Amino acid sequence: MEKKSTLANHLTLSVTIILGLLFGMQTAFALPPLEQQVPYHSYTYGIWDTSVPAHPAYEPERTLTGTDLGIGSLSDPEDLCRDNEGNICILDAGNERIVRISSDMKLLDVIDLASDDVYESGVELVEPLGICFDKNGLLYIADRGAEAVFVCNGDGTLIRKIMKPESDLLDEESLFQPTKLLVDHLGILYVLSFGSFEGAYTFDENGDFLGFFGSNKVNVTSNLLYDRFWRLISTKAQRERMARYVPIEYVNFSIDTDGFIYTVSNFGEQEQKGQVRKLNPLSQNILFKGQKPELAFFGDTENTYSNRVERSALVAVDVDDDGFISVLDSERGRIFQYDQDCNLLAIFGGYGNQVGTMTNPSDLVSSGGKIFVLDSVKSNLTVFSLTDYGRAIHEATSLYDDGFFEAALEPWFSALKMDRTNHLTLRGIGRAYERLGRYKEAMEYYRQGESRKFYSDAFHEYRTAALRKHFGLVMAVIILILLVPFFVWLYRKIRPKKNVAVDHARYVSKYRFPFYLCLHPFKGWEELKHEKQGSLWFANVMMAVWFILKIFEYQYTGFIFNGNRLDRMNLLIIFASSVGAIFLWSVCNWAVCTLFDGKGSFKEVWIFSAYSRMTWILMEIPILILSNVIVREEGFFLGLLMTLQTGLGLLQMLLAIRAVHQYSMKKTVASILITLLGIVLVILIVLLFVSLFAQIWSFAQTLSQEIMMRL
């Protein structure tokens, strides 16, 4: 008994020690949680443009109300702006006042626009929607209801009132209803007017109209082309009743420290790229994604937290002193932040009543490393501050943009430790390594970050360096490869001649016939039919090889040209799209051609179809090799080779069907078209039966649950 008790004690102690070590290792190597204590889903868009959980870059610091500032509740706050000193100014429209606070959320002053002194000076607000300050401290107020812009001193005293300008550029029926405004460092005033698609009104320091600045272009759609065609053949009365296609108006804008104006548009149902634009003095958009002039898409592209895809309603844009672009989505209270290359850095905020969530956000502004979001329904200000993760992302991006590539590695790796799945950090590390000339490390991180374009650039440099280092060996291999055709030709010249009068079928065995068909397709298929050299066993082996090569193609095509998700490789789908497709083709073709006096049996159709894959099989290996040694700019040669592979495969299939059924070319083409139609019908019937079975199964489950609940 004592021995058993001792043994049990030892086992208990050993298990306890092992569990303790495992728990300690798990604690030591555990990754930080992706979501900290934030009342919203922290996510980003991954390498396949689907939302994935992400470490929060911003966290809500506090919610600020008028009561917290000691000035009473805010009423219908409409707009935010930042003055020259970085202070936050709130347009408290319901109370007709401007509230100014510092970046550390302390009240500085209140400009009361409803006082008797102000009314005597001429400021009579009706529906104020926007404010801004210029470099001299002058206050500008956009009042849609008054159809005017009020220019005031810092205390609210009216200096001038800007009304609708008189100009040949303006339609007499158009209304001047200012909603948002800003002033650049030259004193030029930019005004957005409700319903104006010409762009922003511009005025000089004296209030004189200068013209329009920037405008969206009309998005060319099928409906637009259709209406344009009918306009050409319609009468004048009909054209007047047709819908007019005009550019989408800007809903808000902002200006950065360099004087570039950023505009935001809400395209609504006309979903398209380029909702945010960066305009130079010539009204040209210079905000592009990557090195090529490609417009980026801003906001949500899909929503995995509900059962439907939702579009963002972008209403505001802000650019901080470091050039980071923040865009506000009023639909779900989210803020999307991007760098100057339109890379998505962070998504934060949400819809709700907790701290950090909003009900109807109307504007945002950044100051002192914080982002202030105004909620017009809650009548409060939500303040977001950077987390350690967000601070590392900002620091790394800024260092890289300033040319300190090696220094940018440390914050990038810090961010990677906090979130090891974020492709943004992986690409950032790869870009830094590439700039430092460490191309092999750059390629590794680009591959992990699924950045094929940057991987191609790094691989090009890496390949160039390797070719220079091993130039002699590379040239020797190339010369040997080029000499192979010469030696083959020489061997054929000096080998003994055979009697050509003897039937060629004697010299081609059934196992060599598929290779013979590749070189003699027009004569070979007829010989295969008449000499019956086809082998069912060899045909099955070829289909197995084709299936294996399809797997290799899915997984081992060069990273630059491989857009497959390796984590979702499905052997059943690959088998169905290769062997299954040929089997379905053989069944349908045999069934169709039996009705049209076809001479081929199902076995022959299967063998001929399998043999026609030999050209594809032989060309697949060099294609796989080539895809791993060329870069993106050389993809034309890969595409050319793949086109040749497909073309020869289709030609072999055409000749195979013609030979197996002994058809003319015209009848062969007709039989192929009817076979394709039969395949479509078979697929539709199968899908119909699957859907019907699923409904029956669902009904049976529901019925069984009802019976179980009533028992």
Side-chain angles (χ1 to χ4, degrees):
M1 294 295 295
E2 292 182 359
K3 290 184 178 180
K4 291 183 179 179
S5 177
T6 304
L7 180 60
N9 291 336
H10 280 292
L11 288 175
T12 303
L13 180 61
S14 301
V15 171
T16 303
I17 292 174
I18 292 172
L19 291 176
L21 289 174
L22 291 175
F23 178 77
M25 292 174 62
Q26 181 180 4
T27 305
F29 295 100
L31 295 177
L34 286 181
E35 292 199 24
Q36 296 176 343
Q37 298 301 320
V38 291
Y40 45 79
H41 292 288
S42 181
Y43 67 100
T44 187
Y45 284 96
I47 53 182
W48 303 105
D49 291 330
T50 55
S51 58
V52 293
H55 201 96
Y58 280 86
E59 58 185 354
E61 183 174 336
R62 65 172 298 187
T63 298
L64 195 64
T65 64
T67 305
D68 297 332
L69 296 172
I71 57 174
S73 299
L74 302 176
S75 177
D76 295 329
E78 290 290 345
D79 196 32
L80 289 176
C81 75
R82 187 177 54 228
D83 64 12
N84 295 327
E85 298 177 357
N87 300 314
I88 308 302
C89 304
I90 308 171
L91 172 59
D92 189 7
N95 294 320
E96 296 188 13
R97 62 184 179 180
I98 309 296
V99 180
R100 194 194 320 247
I101 62 175
S102 61
S103 59
D104 56 358
M105 294 165 285
K106 293 181 180 179
L107 179 66
L108 297 178
D109 61 354
V110 177
I111 303 175
D112 191 356
L113 301 174
S115 65
D116 294 337
D117 294 338
V118 175
Y119 276 126
E120 291 176 1
S121 64
V123 179
E124 297 183 12
L125 300 180
V126 179
E127 189 184 358
L129 296 178
I131 58 171
C132 73
F133 286 85
D134 68 4
K135 61 181 179 180
N136 298 318
L138 296 181
L139 170 64
Y140 295 77
I141 306 172
D143 194 318
R144 175 180 171 180
E147 298 186 355
V149 173
F150 298 102
V151 184
C152 309
N153 286 325
D155 59 359
T157 304
L158 182 66
I159 297 177
R160 72 176 65 92
K161 185 178 181 180
I162 302 176
M163 304 294 290
K164 178 183 175 181
E166 295 181 1
S167 173
D168 295 336
L169 299 176
L170 296 173
D171 188 355
E172 294 181 358
E173 298 180 357
S174 63
L175 300 177
F176 182 63
Q177 298 179 330
T179 56
K180 302 294 179 182
L181 39 71
L182 56 83
V183 182
D184 65 12
H185 61 283
L186 298 176
I188 304 299
L189 173 65
Y190 300 83
V191 181
L192 295 182
S193 177
F194 179 78
S196 175
F197 55 84
E198 296 93 345
Y201 288 76
T202 58
F203 302 88
D204 62 13
E205 293 180 339
N206 299 319
D208 296 328
F209 180 62
L210 300 177
F212 290 101
F213 175 80
S215 65
N216 284 318
K217 295 182 179 180
V218 176
N219 186 30
V220 179
T221 62
S222 58
N223 291 335
L224 184 146
L225 297 176
Y226 177 80
D227 287 351
R228 183 165 292 180
F229 168 75
W230 282 108
R231 280 181 181 274
L232 297 176
I233 59 177
S234 301
T235 63
K236 182 178 180 181
Q238 290 173 331
R239 288 196 296 268
E240 290 177 352
R241 290 195 297 268
M242 287 184 177
R244 295 179 60 195
Y245 288 87
V246 295
I248 300 296
E249 62 181 299
Y250 298 129
V251 296
N252 211 331
F253 54 6
S254 180
I255 190 168
D256 64 8
T257 54
D258 296 324
F260 292 103
I261 293 178
Y262 294 74
T263 64
V264 60
S265 303
N266 185 9
F267 293 112
E269 295 298 325
Q270 301 178 10
E271 185 175 350
Q272 64 186 75
K273 298 180 179 180
Q275 305 101 312
V276 178
R277 298 173 183 264
K278 179 181 180 181
L279 304 180
N280 62 12
L282 299 178
S283 301
Q284 297 171 335
N285 180 29
I286 57 174
L287 186 65
F288 297 114
K289 182 179 180 180
Q291 299 175 355
K292 294 183 179 180
E294 178 186 354
L295 293 176
F297 189 90
F298 295 84
D300 269 322
T301 56
E302 56 89 36
N303 183 11
T304 61
Y305 304 113
S306 66
N307 295 325
R308 62 192 179 96
V309 177
E310 300 178 11
R311 295 185 179 91
S312 297
L314 306 181
V315 296
V317 61
D318 179 78
V319 186
D320 64 14
D321 295 336
D322 295 321
F324 296 108
I325 307 167
S326 299
V327 187
L328 178 62
D329 174 16
S330 65
E331 184 72 22
R332 281 157 287 169
R334 293 174 184 162
I335 298 95
F336 300 84
Q337 191 173 76
Y338 304 84
D339 62 11
Q340 287 294 317
D341 291 327
C342 299
N343 296 311
L344 179 61
L345 303 181
I347 304 175
F348 55 98
Y351 184 85
N353 295 313
Q354 297 172 288
V355 176
T357 60
M358 284 74 70
T359 301
N360 186 28
S362 57
D363 203 3
L364 83 165
V365 70
S366 59
S367 181
K370 302 176 182 179
I371 293 181
F372 299 78
V373 182
L374 183 66
D375 193 318
S376 58
V377 172
K378 290 184 177 181
S379 297
N380 63 15
L381 204 62
T382 303
V383 185
F384 293 91
S385 58
L386 285 166
T387 62
D388 292 337
Y389 174 75
R391 197 171 293 108
I393 293 290
H394 277 219
E395 182 183 358
T397 303
S398 298
L399 287 172
Y400 179 87
D401 291 340
D402 293 338
F404 301 103
F405 308 120
E406 190 168 4
L409 285 173
E410 182 178 352
W412 274 130
F413 278 114
S414 298
L416 187 62
K417 291 178 182 178
M418 288 180 269
D419 188 352
R420 298 184 182 180
T421 60
N422 194 330
H423 71 285
L424 175 68
T425 57
L426 296 169
R427 293 179 182 180
I429 295 172
R431 291 171 64 190
Y433 273 137
E434 183 181 1
R435 289 288 187 173
L436 294 171
R438 299 164 63 175
Y439 302 114
K440 191 172 184 179
E441 290 106 317
M443 290 163 53
E444 178 183 350
Y445 282 98
Y446 283 148
R447 180 183 285 272
Q448 294 181 39
E450 293 288 339
S451 180
R452 288 170 173 78
K453 180 182 181 304
F454 291 124
Y455 180 92
S456 176
D457 296 338
F459 178 65
H460 181 269
E461 298 296 334
Y462 178 77
R463 188 186 65 179
T464 301
L467 289 175
R468 290 174 179 172
K469 183 178 180 180
H470 305 287
F471 180 76
L473 179 61
V474 172
M475 289 303 300
V477 172
I478 292 176
I479 292 173
L480 287 176
I481 293 175
L482 293 177
L483 288 177
V484 167
F486 171 75
F487 287 121
V488 171
W489 174 81
L490 185 62
Y491 169 74
R492 289 183 175 180
K493 282 291 185 181
I494 63 177
R495 70 177 179 176
K497 302 292 183 181
K498 294 183 179 181
N499 187 4
V500 296
V502 181
D503 188 1
H504 192 276
R506 282 188 224 164
Y507 304 102
V508 182
S509 67
K510 62 173 59 178
Y511 302 115
R512 290 179 54 196
F513 225 102
F515 303 95
Y516 174 73
L517 291 171
C518 296
L519 299 177
H520 307 84
F522 293 94
K523 180 176 67 173
W525 289 108
E526 295 295 335
E527 293 180 0
L528 182 63
K529 174 67 177 178
H530 293 295
E531 302 296 335
K532 299 186 182 298
Q533 290 287 83
S535 168
L536 179 62
W537 177 86
F538 196 72
N540 293 334
V541 170
M542 288 180 59
M543 295 307 296
V545 172
W546 188 36
F547 172 60
I548 294 173
L549 284 178
K550 275 291 188 179
I551 298 175
F552 273 75
E553 178 188 38
Y554 189 98
Q555 191 163 3
Y556 295 110
T557 298
F559 173 72
I560 299 173
F561 305 99
N562 192 348
N564 300 318
R565 294 193 60 170
L566 302 183
D567 58 329
R568 294 189 178 182
M569 185 175 70
N570 191 319
L571 294 180
L572 183 61
I573 294 178
I574 297 176
F575 181 83
S577 62
S578 56
V579 180
I582 292 298
F583 180 79
L584 181 60
W585 162 267
S586 301
V587 171
C588 292
N589 183 262
W590 169 73
V592 168
C593 293
T594 300
L595 301 176
F596 291 92
D597 299 327
K599 306 299 182 183
S601 64
F602 173 74
K603 176 182 176 181
E604 288 181 317
V605 174
W606 170 256
I607 293 174
F608 276 58
S609 299
Y611 277 25
S612 69
R613 297 292 88 197
M614 178 56 74
T615 304
W616 188 96
I617 291 173
L618 293 178
M619 295 186 66
E620 183 63 16
I621 295 177
I623 286 177
L624 287 176
I625 295 174
L626 182 64
S627 69
N628 283 275
V629 297
I630 64 175
V631 296
R632 192 173 184 177
E633 291 75 16
E634 300 163 350
F636 168 78
F637 300 102
L638 182 65
L640 185 63
L641 195 59
M642 293 176 67
T643 302
L644 180 62
Q645 178 193 40
T646 303
L648 291 177
L650 293 176
L651 176 63
Q652 292 280 28
M653 179 65 77
L654 176 67
L655 297 177
I657 296 301
R658 176 190 176 189
V660 72
H661 294 298
Q662 295 295 290
Y663 281 161
S664 63
M665 185 58 68
K666 183 178 180 180
K667 197 171 183 179
T668 301
V669 174
S671 67
I672 289 176
L673 294 177
I674 299 175
T675 300
L676 294 176
L677 179 60
I679 291 174
V680 172
L681 293 177
V682 170
I683 294 175
L684 290 177
I685 293 172
V686 170
L687 291 177
L688 181 63
F689 273 100
V690 170
S691 177
L692 181 61
F693 177 79
Q695 292 179 9
I696 295 174
W697 179 256
S698 177
F699 173 75
Q701 284 185 321
T702 305
L703 183 62
S704 63
Q705 291 175 0
E706 288 288 338
I707 295 174
M708 293 296 294
M709 290 177 64
R710 295 180 181 275
L711 290 178

